[in-house]
Amino acid sequence: ATYQHYAERVAEINDLVALDESTKLERFEIDELRSLVLINDDVNFTAMSLPIEFQYSSVNDILLEDINKDGIIDILTGGNMLYTHINLGRLDGDYGSLAFGRGDGTFEYIQNDKSGLMVKGQVSKVNKILIGNNVNYVFAINNDSIQFYQLRRE
């Protein structure tokens, strides 16, 4: 099968899971698959899509903090899902994603060569620790070693 084949294919539930007549399924619909943030204005939530680079794979954990110290919340994520059903394929297009907040609910993606992130594997947790006076970002990888990163400063 080609990528084009999968892009044009509409999967039925029987393509994904083995069903027999005794199986009872509850049906749900998913209307939104983008990675996004919800902005709370004390009355409503407004959905704001994260930059396209955050859509390349699953987002498994998010760290929100003012990373660049400009007073605006930034976003650091880790993702990938390597053990999916064979028909779905691996979700492995993420190497850690960083975006600086603009203050209006949108974010500016920072390329990996600028941030220094090159996280490999299926991330289950992202956190921050201090080692001496240096801020380190810790990525816990399923079935693998923990990875530490100090973000590059421009």
Side-chain angles (χ1 to χ4, degrees):
T2 65
Y3 289 112
Q4 189 66 32
H5 168 79
Y6 285 107
E8 294 172 351
R9 187 165 180 247
V10 176
E12 298 293 332
I13 190 68
N14 292 341
D15 296 333
L16 303 175
V17 294
L19 299 176
D20 62 30
E21 294 199 22
S22 66
T23 304
K24 294 186 185 207
L25 297 177
E26 195 171 349
R27 182 182 173 118
F28 295 94
E29 286 190 25
I30 299 172
D31 296 322
E32 181 63 69
L33 291 175
R34 294 176 297 170
S35 295
L36 50 84
V37 294
L38 297 173
I39 308 299
N40 183 354
D41 66 6
D42 293 327
V43 177
N44 294 305
F45 288 95
T46 302
M48 303 288 283
S49 183
L50 290 172
I52 189 68
E53 293 84 358
F54 286 80
Q55 314 307 326
Y56 294 163
S57 189
S58 64
V59 172
N60 301 342
D61 199 27
I62 299 171
L63 180 67
L64 298 172
E65 72 165 43
D66 183 9
I67 293 170
N68 62 354
K69 307 295 182 216
D70 64 357
I72 301 169
I73 294 294
D74 305 311
I75 188 166
L76 177 65
T77 67
N80 294 328
M81 192 175 301
L82 306 182
Y83 307 105
T84 60
H85 192 281
I86 192 164
N87 287 349
L88 301 176
R90 291 166 53 117
L91 302 174
D92 61 358
D94 183 57
Y95 295 98
S97 296
L98 171 66
F100 292 149
R102 293 185 175 121
D104 62 358
T106 65
F107 293 85
E108 175 189 357
Y109 178 75
I110 307 303
Q111 296 289 334
N112 291 76
D113 61 340
K114 298 238 187 290
S115 69
L117 291 174
M118 192 49 66
V119 182
K120 295 185 178 172
Q122 182 172 307
V123 175
S124 58
K125 186 71 181 161
V126 179
N127 216 331
K128 176 181 93 167
I129 64 169
L130 283 175
I131 299 177
N133 292 328
N134 298 314
V135 174
N136 287 263
Y137 294 94
V138 181
F139 292 80
I141 312 299
N142 286 1
N143 300 317
D144 208 335
S145 301
I146 293 174
Q147 297 178 32
F148 292 84
Y149 288 87
Q150 289 182 13
L151 298 177
R152 292 185 183 147
R153 305 270 180 220
E154 292 193 22

